[in-house]
Amino acid sequence: MAVKLCMLLLHLGACSEPIEWAGQRAISAETLAACPRGEWLSWMAAALKVKLSAPWSEWERAAERALAGDGYGYGDGYGYGSGYGSGDGSGYGDGYGYGYGYGYSEQNE
């Protein structure tokens, strides 16, 4: 897997300290073994839904599933705009607008 560990941690919603430690490290068994804090590994195991003692192959599959984006999502948004213009004949106009949206996603297993 050529993906950087920091991308997985961002995707899982990790705090900044482990993301900073991950830096440019690849997702690998060696990287996990080098992790300086056991609670980070415990958190990641729970987030990936694997046992802490699981073999690397299970961690790798769980990371791939998490990054694959499997699941469904819902999004909603609204916007409004207004404009003004003046002219004779074909006219002239200017306008501006504002939009807002939010989304919600759940991962299916």
Side-chain angles (χ1 to χ4, degrees), residues 36-51:
R37 308 249 318 250
E39 65 268 21
W40 293 353
L41 286 177
S42 295
W43 178 88
M44 192 163 73
L48 291 173
K49 298 179 181 160
V50 297
K51 291 183 180 179

Side-chain angles (χ1 to χ4, degrees), residues 73-88:
Y74 167 78
D76 194 6
Y78 67 90
Y80 66 88
S82 63
Y84 61 90
S86 63
D88 197 10

Side-chain angles (χ1 to χ4, degrees), residues 17-78:
E17 194 175 357
I19 292 170
E20 289 173 22
W21 173 82
Q24 294 301 309
R25 291 175 172 89
I27 300 172
S28 69
E30 293 78 20
T31 299
L32 294 182
C35 181
R37 308 249 318 250
E39 65 268 21
W40 293 353
L41 286 177
S42 295
W43 178 88
M44 192 163 73
L48 291 173
K49 298 179 181 160
V50 297
K51 291 183 180 179
L52 192 57
S53 60
W56 166 244
S57 59
E58 287 183 35
W59 283 77
E60 186 175 34
R61 280 193 304 274
E64 288 171 351
R65 278 193 312 270
L67 291 170
D70 292 340
Y72 65 92
Y74 167 78
D76 194 6
Y78 67 90

Side-chain angles (χ1 to χ4, degrees), residues 49 65-66 69-73 105-109:
K49 298 179 181 160
R65 278 193 312 270
D70 292 340
Y72 65 92
S105 176
E106 288 187 26
Q107 183 159 339
N108 291 332
E109 298 233 1

